[in-house]
Amino acid sequence: MARLLTALAVLVILLMGALYLMGHQLSAPAFRPIGAPPPALQARQIELTTAEGVPVAGWWSPGQPGMGTVLLLHGVRGDRRQMLQRALFLHRQGRGALLIDLPGHGESGGTAITFGLRESEAVVAALDFLVHEVPCERRAVIGVSLGAASTVLAKGRPPLDAVVLESMFPTIEEAVADRLKMRLGDWAGSLSPLLLTQLPLQLGISPRQLRPIEHIAELQAPLLVISGGEDRHTTAAETQRIFAAAASPKSLWMVPGAAHVDLLDFTPEAYTTRVSAFLDDHLRNAACATAAVTTPRFGQP
């Protein structure tokens, strides 16, 4: 019996050690050099600061008066370059585009990836920048996965005129369970609570703080929810629940055949058509275009 208890104790210690290492790897920053924006984007490099003093690096590409501006937010362990193709098609349409590296990513600061909680502070800082840089323009966000969750979790964000959420998880509990099932089999979903014990230990946050589905109705902006029909990171049933929890006006596009991939890259023509039409409906501002004829915009040389 003593040997059995010892073996069980060793097994528990090894399991907790493995979970600690896994949690550390998942939350470790994904810093990397980005460099200058591509000439086609006609953008300049900027650096913002969150309310907590974290530097946020990005590119700002102004648009034509009255066409609106879009904040573009990448997925976990990515950086602003993940959103470059979206920025380029927006630029060709005359819209302003702001691309940032979320905290813990790219050239921004931060000490860890927090799955949307502290990244949300960068969303607020970026939207504040747009309010001051182009106060007349209407504002939208396109957020992918982590970027989508960061948008929904952002407290005190300036008002938005349109929001596109792509491949967003409903709760961190489901996100972790889905990924464990993919890697180890359906049985592994039950390990999710054990892995989530690392959130307060390593990051000082609670799983209850990472449930975008509980806050999506607070967006108070026209919403387009997009997800892959074959996505296993966020299942179709989970996306349907997210959509049901959102306030109107809202629309849902489940992309047939797509997994947890870049949906613009997966179906470029359909994506550009749908997202452009959605932004056209909510971002055009004739009054802003008229005012821009006689009034220089803040920050222009």
Side-chain angles (χ1 to χ4, degrees):
M1 177 63 72
R3 289 182 179 179
L4 177 60
L5 291 175
T6 300
L8 288 174
V10 170
L11 181 61
V12 169
I13 291 171
L14 291 174
L15 177 59
M16 294 307 296
L19 291 173
Y20 179 87
L21 290 174
M22 188 181 300
H24 178 74
Q25 291 173 350
L26 289 173
S27 61
F31 298 133
R32 60 183 68 92
I34 305 299
L41 190 58
Q42 296 182 330
R44 72 175 192 265
Q45 297 190 68
I46 62 167
E47 184 172 295
L48 311 174
T49 305
T50 72
E52 298 298 319
V54 176
V56 176
W59 295 331
W60 164 233
S61 172
Q64 298 172 11
M67 291 299 293
T69 61
V70 184
L71 172 60
L72 297 161
L73 302 169
H74 62 79
V76 68
R77 311 202 73 79
D79 58 61
R80 74 192 93 146
R81 294 173 297 184
Q82 180 184 354
M83 307 302 286
L84 177 58
Q85 294 307 311
R86 288 168 177 78
L88 288 171
F89 90 67
L90 293 170
H91 175 70
R92 290 191 293 268
Q93 295 171 351
R95 306 189 200 281
L98 175 58
L99 304 82
I100 64 170
D101 297 331
L102 291 167
H105 297 77
E107 294 178 331
S108 290
T111 58
I113 295 171
T114 63
F115 311 104
L117 186 64
R118 295 178 187 136
E119 291 84 356
S120 68
E121 297 168 5
V123 176
V124 175
L127 291 174
D128 283 342
F129 169 85
L130 292 177
V131 168
H132 290 92
E133 183 77 5
V134 281
C136 188
E137 295 291 344
R138 291 177 177 167
R139 295 176 295 276
V141 172
I142 299 177
V144 174
S145 192
L146 173 66
S150 302
T151 301
V152 176
L153 294 173
K155 297 179 180 178
R157 61 180 171 266
L160 291 166
D161 299 288
V163 178
V164 179
L165 301 177
E166 300 182 34
S167 309
M168 186 182 77
F169 62 86
T171 69
I172 192 65
E173 293 93 339
E174 290 165 288
V176 170
D178 288 341
R179 285 153 178 78
L180 287 171
K181 291 175 185 178
M182 289 175 59
R183 287 163 175 75
L184 302 175
D186 288 345
W187 67 272
S190 60
L191 297 177
S192 175
L194 292 175
L195 184 56
L196 289 170
T197 61
Q198 301 304 312
L199 284 176
L201 293 175
Q202 298 195 34
L203 302 177
I205 60 180
S206 164
R208 288 199 61 85
Q209 295 174 280
L210 297 174
R211 296 176 179 172
I213 194 170
E214 295 181 358
H215 301 278
I216 192 169
E218 301 165 11
L219 282 175
Q220 297 182 336
L223 175 65
L224 173 59
V225 176
I226 310 177
S227 192
E230 303 301 323
D231 194 340
R232 295 177 60 196
H233 291 75
T234 298
T235 67
E238 290 166 354
T239 298
Q240 293 282 357
R241 285 177 40 235
I242 291 170
F243 181 71
S248 295
K250 59 185 178 180
S251 55
L252 174 65
W253 180 28
M254 299 297 298
V255 182
H260 198 74
V261 296
D262 186 317
L263 297 172
L264 170 60
D265 184 62
F266 182 82
T267 178
E269 184 175 350
Y271 182 99
T272 303
T273 298
R274 283 182 180 255
V275 172
S276 297
F278 176 73
L279 296 177
D280 274 340
D281 286 343
H282 302 293
L283 290 191
R284 287 185 181 273
N285 185 355
C288 183
T290 301
V293 173
T294 56
T295 305
R297 287 180 293 176
F298 179 86
Q300 281 189 326

